[in-house]
Amino acid sequence: MAAYDEWVDPMRLALDQARSALRTDDVPVGAVVLDPDGRVLGAGHNAREASFDPTAHAEVVALRAAASRRGEWRLGGCTLVVTLEPCTMCAGAIVLSRLSRLVFGAHDDKAGAVGSLWDVVRDRRLNHRPEVVTGVLADECTILLQEFFASHRARD
């Protein structure tokens, strides 16, 4: 199993992506896909508001970019690093893309599908189950989300 410390720098890249979402008033979630050598293949942040696309979650945006750059949809050997526990849609995309590893920061008690509400990526009935590393820079990831939602509540 991968060590927590090796995912701190990639999570900082994902946090940078998450902050980019703030420019379009999207929920600040960011993701990066790393190739087996640790190079960034794809990156993304939530873009639902900016693109009017309900599937434009950070994970999906990053997976699409990585698959395009790699020239195939199978992302075996790759790692997805994301600031928030994936939802059911994104967890399904992770399984379908054949990622080798998922690393995430904050847990999502309301919609998380990697242990919080469901555990899609580790469901034994599915044909692929990536390694999962949780809680990397969880406090930083959580604070970014809390500040975003607090500022939105203050505006309402």
Side-chain angles (χ1 to χ4, degrees):
M1 182 171 268
Y4 173 98
D5 290 343
E6 74 182 277
W7 303 112
V8 169
D9 288 340
M11 185 60 74
R12 291 198 191 290
L13 295 175
L15 279 162
D16 289 342
Q17 284 293 316
R19 289 182 194 97
S20 295
L22 295 171
R23 285 180 268 160
T24 58
D25 208 32
D26 271 288
V27 176
V29 177
V32 294
V33 176
L34 306 174
D35 73 9
D37 295 322
R39 293 181 299 251
V40 175
L41 272 180
H45 54 78
N46 275 359
R48 293 182 307 167
E49 299 296 333
S51 64
F52 311 110
D53 178 357
T55 69
H57 289 205
E59 300 94 325
V60 172
V61 173
L63 288 172
R64 286 177 178 158
S68 178
R69 185 164 180 200
R70 198 175 213 197
E72 67 172 310
W73 61 267
R74 291 174 195 87
L75 297 174
C78 296
T79 299
L80 173 68
V81 180
V82 61
T83 58
L84 181 65
E85 178 182 358
C87 69
T88 53
M89 176 185 70
C90 295
I94 289 162
V95 171
L96 293 173
S97 68
R98 309 296 194 268
L99 282 165
S100 294
R101 184 178 303 106
L102 165 66
V103 177
F104 72 85
H107 282 82
D108 185 349
D109 296 334
K110 294 181 180 177
V114 186
S116 289
L117 293 180
W118 301 280
D119 203 348
V120 173
V121 301
R122 290 179 281 215
D123 190 317
R124 297 253 178 241
R125 296 169 291 183
L126 298 175
N127 65 339
H128 179 75
R129 289 176 299 282
E131 175 188 351
V132 177
V133 178
T134 68
V136 177
L137 299 181
D139 290 342
E140 288 182 47
C141 297
T142 300
I143 288 167
L144 184 61
L145 290 161
Q146 288 173 337
E147 289 174 350
F148 172 80
F149 288 114
S151 72
H152 276 66
R153 281 191 295 276
R155 286 192 292 181
D156 293 339

